[in-house]
């Protein structure tokens, strides 16, 4: 019997289509195999999986392959190149619509039709639907008629064209990862989408090509026009607009936290800190020099093209293997780095360029090397630093395929020590054996490169951008690096080695000690207990925090429940999540911050008018108060959980007393709605993120139980330095005496009447702990990984009252003077 294979970007879609087709078979058994998605939930197609599916569906009669869109077709073609020629000749790639085609094909295969007959039936499968909606399309399924239908389809497409302008809200613009999401999603529609950057005039470029989209140079705030044509033009645009509103599902900033890099000050070829920690050891080198493109005599075009596809398929499998490893080691957000690489090697424009290189007489390796060099050059010419550094990713992936084409060996690391390389593909960083490679020095690269991000998540101390001179260090030479400060030494003298070793030992001993006593309370030497809590966004965070001694969740970023979805979670869903958080924390207090969206975190289902300065616009409590149901539903969920476990409700971005009163009134209404009276342990507080709120804290104090200072936003507003803008990153320093004075103002106004907490990143700075405590802060809420260290720092404070320390820091000239005082 003819077998069927369903190739789709989505496993769920393919499984459902097969279930639907099975309904029509009334018990007949047609061999149907699925090759869909990179796993159960990740969109993508894989030629190797398609080969396996074909082999399993083939019982000797032949197989018809039905595909969804774009790269599904490309992957199916690649699968044919890879499969045993004996099987290949009985396989038909069928251009029928996936769902209708599969249903018709299954019925026809069950009736004993040959693969050619099954394919022809499937191609005509839209007939019933077309005649029902009176579409002027021929009903027969022969090849000429199919052409006609496609032509007519095209002319209909031209009529259904639409355009829309979106503003890019991602801090680093439309760089590789968000661009990869855009390309992934745009390919799912029967529509051709083109993009133009209205701010630079770049484009139009097709949304189906990662290499072209990323070179639009679309930075944060740029307006990008999307024009779609095709039968699903509108749906495609609606979908992409929703995606853009979700910042292309990019939720984390890729700027390294705590980095001391000051881009403006950096001398060329000065190493930059990329991943904290100290590493000392013999230099290891990895022969990562670019391969010389061999002088091959091309065979026939088909053979050369097949070589390219085979090499791409091999590298794709390798990247998928590393992606799975990265997901296990560092979580899904680290693993997404590789999605951009996967998109790049399947990029239709890139492969088209390779193909035309082959058509003009080049051998596979030369055609590939030329096409990838063009893409790399486009990236390298973009004005934005971050986007420009993506050229390194393109280069690295290009080298992987070129090596495979030329049969060059994969570079290997010999021995144990500090690895020095020009640059590493993220895959190589993810694959490093951390028991052997104790540090990393890259001649090129930047702290925001994906390799640096991975080094940080894997705990490998690293400096990057050290210049090509480091490549001359002979293997075996002792080298040392400090990934916190960016210092790098070749053959360091004994004194330097002693200093670095001592610092390293201290850091390790401190971490071990902190961990050993993590569960004990954090009490200063003079007997004052400081609450150390955790900032959590997920149940995993809460579990990790409880294990490391967190006494409460000092900040639950509830917006993580709302972002990345097309509709709001129900009250029941929210209650369930907050309950799970409380359980993970062993019933300790949850500080639930009300929805903090708007600005850089738009919500698709809470539409806002476009704003010139979103950080100064409708965000936090301002937006929440404008939202009827969304805010009220959240408050009802809070109140429900507050009847079961201690809850503090915290309002973000409060600027005026009127906002607080308004928010409290809505909370009272929620208490009435829930109908069980005011929960006994319910507390209410505000985040202090707006400088004016800090200065008039006394006006708020009588009305609340606590202040929680959000130093991340407070710093950006106090110093007029947007937190996502790397150009002003060095200005936005929370140790600036101007920011410290605002914190002092809050503590003074609270005057023991209500608790003052700090939940911004400053709370995790151990050297600032004595100062914050001396100012009057009594709760510090930090990332789960910092809880133990901050508790440890508290235990080393001799006396909470230290007016001399406070005076010296508040009157210091700037943040570096404050750092000197704090030591
Ligand atoms: C802050 O602004 O310091 C804060 C903790 O809130 P977020 O970082 O979520 O804006
Ligand atoms: Mg904030």
């Amino acid at each position: 019997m003819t077998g069927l294979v369903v190739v789709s970007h989505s496993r769920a879609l393919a499984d459902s289509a097969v279930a639907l087709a099975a309904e029509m078979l009334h018990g007949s058994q047609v061999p149907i195999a699925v090759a869909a998605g990179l796993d159960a939930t990740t969109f993508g197609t894989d030629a190797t999986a398609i080969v396996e599916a074909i082999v399993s569906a083939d019982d000797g009669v032949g197989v018809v392959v039905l595909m969804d869109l774009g790269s599904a077709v490309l992957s199916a073609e690649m699968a044919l190149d890879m499969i045993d020629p004996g099987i290949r000749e009985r396989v038909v790639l069928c251009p029928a619509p996936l769902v209708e085609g599969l249903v018709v094909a299954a019925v026809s295969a069950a009736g004993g039709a040959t693969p050619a007959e099954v394919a022809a039936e499937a191609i005509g499968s839209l007939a019933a639907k077309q005649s029902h909606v009176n579409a002027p399309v021929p009903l027969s399924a022969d090849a000429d008629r199919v052409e006609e239908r496609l032509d007519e389809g095209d002319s209909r497409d031209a009529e259904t064209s639409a355009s829309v302008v979106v503003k890019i809200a991602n801090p680093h613009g439309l760089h590789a990862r968000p661009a990869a999401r855009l390309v992934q999603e745009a390919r799912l529609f029967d529509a051709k989408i083109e993009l133009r950057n209205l701010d630079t005039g770049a484009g139009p470029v097709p949304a189906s090509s990662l290499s072209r989209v990323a070179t639009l140079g679309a930075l944060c705030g740029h307006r990008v026009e999307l024009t779609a044509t095709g039968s699903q033009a509108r749906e495609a645009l609606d979908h992409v607009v929703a995606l853009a509103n979700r910042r292309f599902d990019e939720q984390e900033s890729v700027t390294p936290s705590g980095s001391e890099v000051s881009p403006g000050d950096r001398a060329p070829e000065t190493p930059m800190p990329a991943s904290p920690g100290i590493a000392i050891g013999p230099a290891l080198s990895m022969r990562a020099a670019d391969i010389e493109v061999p002088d091959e005599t091309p065979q026939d075009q088909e053979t050369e093209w097949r070589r390219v596809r085979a090499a791409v398929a091999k590298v794709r499998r390798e990247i998928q293997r590393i992606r799975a490893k990265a997901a296990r080691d560092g979580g899904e957000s680290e693993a997404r780095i590789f999605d951009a690489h996967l998109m790049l090697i399947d990029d239709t424009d890139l492969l088209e360029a390779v193909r035309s290189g082959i058509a003009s007489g080049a051998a596979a390796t030369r055609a590939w090397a030329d096409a990838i060099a063009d893409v790399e050059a486009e990236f390298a010419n973009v004005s934005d630093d971050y986007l420009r550094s993506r050229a390194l990713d393109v280069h690295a992936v290009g080298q992987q395929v070129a090596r495979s084409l030329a049969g060059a060996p994969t570079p290997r690391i010999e021995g144990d020590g500090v690895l020095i390389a020009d640059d590493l593909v993220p895959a190589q960083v993810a694959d490093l054996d951390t028991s052997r490679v104790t540090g990393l020095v890259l001649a090129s690269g930047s702290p925001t490169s994906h390799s640096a991000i991975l080094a940080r998540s894997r705990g490998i101390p690293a400096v990057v951008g050290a210049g090509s001179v480091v490549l001359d260090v002979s293997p075996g030479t002792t080298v040392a690096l400090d990934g916190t400060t960016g210092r790098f030494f070749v053959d360091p003298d004994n004194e330097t080695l002693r200093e670095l070793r001592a610092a390293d030992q201290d850091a390790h001993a401190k971490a071990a000690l902190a961990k050993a006593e993590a569960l004990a309370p954090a009490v200063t030497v003079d007997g004052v207990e400081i609450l150390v809590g955790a900032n959590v966004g997920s149940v995993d965070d809460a579990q990790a925090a409880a294990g490391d001694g967190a006494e409460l969740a000092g900040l639950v970023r509830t917006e993580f429940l709302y972002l990345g979805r097309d509709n709001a979670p129900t009250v029941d869903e929210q209650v369930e999540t907050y309950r799970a958080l409380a359980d993970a924390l062993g019933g300790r207090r949850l500080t639930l911050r009300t929805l903090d969206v708007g600005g850089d975190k738009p919500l698709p289902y809470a539409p806002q008018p476009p704003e010139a300065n979103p950080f100064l616009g409708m965000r936090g409590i301002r937006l929440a108060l404008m939202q009827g149901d969304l805010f009220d539903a959240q408050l009802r969920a809070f109140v429900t959980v507050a009847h079961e476990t201690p809850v503090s409700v915290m309002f973000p971005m409060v600027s005026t007393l009127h906002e607080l009163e308004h928010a409290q009134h809505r909370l009272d209404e929620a208490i009435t709605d829930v109908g069980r009276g005011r929960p006994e342990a319910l507390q209410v507080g505000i985040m202090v993120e707006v400088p004016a709120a800090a200065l008039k804290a006394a006006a708020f104090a009588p009305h609340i139980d606590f202040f929680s200072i959000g130093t991340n936003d407070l710093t950006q507003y106090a110093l007029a330095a947007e937190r996502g803008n790397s150009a002003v990153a060095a200005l936005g320093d929370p140790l600036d005496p101007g920011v410290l004075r605002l914190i002092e103002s809050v503590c003074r106004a609270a005057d023991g009447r209500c608790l003052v907490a700090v939940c911004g990143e400053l709370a995790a700075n151990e050297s600032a702990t004595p100062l914050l405590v001396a100012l009057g802060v009594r709760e510090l809420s930090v990332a789960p990984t910092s809880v133990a260290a901050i508790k440890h720092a508290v235990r080393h404070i001799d006396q909470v009252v230290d007016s001399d320390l406070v005076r010296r820091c508040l009157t210091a000239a700037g943040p570096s003077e404050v750092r000197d005082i704090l030591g």
Side-chain angles (χ1 to χ4, degrees), residues 616-660:
L616 299 178
M618 294 306 296
R619 56 172 305 212
I621 196 68
R622 303 171 189 180
L623 189 62
L625 289 175
M626 274 178 50
Q627 300 295 326
D629 294 347
L630 210 58
F631 188 46
D632 293 335
Q634 183 172 52
L635 292 175
R636 282 201 301 279
F638 284 7
V639 172
T640 306
V641 178
H643 282 292
E644 303 167 11
T645 196
V647 162
S648 298
V649 175
M650 178 155 85
F651 301 116
M653 272 287 290
V654 173
S655 317
T656 68
L657 186 57
H658 178 69
E659 285 170 345
L660 171 63

Side-chain angles (χ1 to χ4, degrees), residues 555 557 593 596 601 687 689 710-713 723 759-760:
L555 166 62
R557 289 185 161 105
R593 175 169 76 180
D596 187 21
K601 291 183 275 188
M687 285 196 75
E689 296 168 288
T711 48
N712 308 338
D713 277 317
R723 59 196 271 198
C759 64

Side-chain angles (χ1 to χ4, degrees), residues 27 104 198 324 431 455 594 749:
V104 168
L198 296 182
D431 226 12
T594 60

Side-chain angles (χ1 to χ4, degrees), residues 535 555 557 559-560 593 596 600-601 615 619 650 652-653 687-689 708-717 723 758-762 781:
N535 298 345
L555 166 62
R557 289 185 161 105
E559 57 275 8
F560 287 128
R593 175 169 76 180
D596 187 21
D600 60 332
K601 291 183 275 188
F615 274 112
R619 56 172 305 212
M650 178 155 85
M653 272 287 290
M687 285 196 75
V688 181
E689 296 168 288
S708 185
I709 305 178
T711 48
N712 308 338
D713 277 317
L714 186 63
T715 304
Q716 80 162 337
Y717 295 127
R723 59 196 271 198
V758 172
C759 64
E761 288 303 306
L762 179 60
S781 191

Side-chain angles (χ1 to χ4, degrees), residues 293-378:
V293 177
D295 196 8
E296 305 159 330
T297 313
Q299 303 176 53
D300 63 280
Q301 289 183 19
E302 213 31 60
T303 307
E304 293 301 317
W305 178 232
R306 198 167 290 150
R307 286 181 59 209
V308 172
R309 287 167 161 203
V312 164
K314 182 168 166 237
V315 171
R316 186 192 300 106
R317 277 196 301 280
E318 179 60 8
I319 297 175
Q320 281 166 346
R321 181 184 71 76
I322 303 283
R323 187 196 188 284
K325 183 169 188 293
R328 275 196 310 276
D329 291 354
E332 196 47 34
S333 67
E334 303 305 339
R336 283 206 197 103
I337 289 169
F338 298 104
D339 290 342
H341 291 194
L342 289 168
M343 301 289 300
L344 183 72
I345 55 167
D346 276 337
D347 191 290
T348 41
D349 268 40
L350 171 66
L351 292 174
E352 210 41 63
V354 178
R355 198 169 195 159
S356 69
I358 291 173
S360 29
T365 319
R366 167 53 58 206
W368 172 267
D370 289 351
I372 205 86
D374 287 347
V375 177
E376 213 181 309
E378 281 187 67

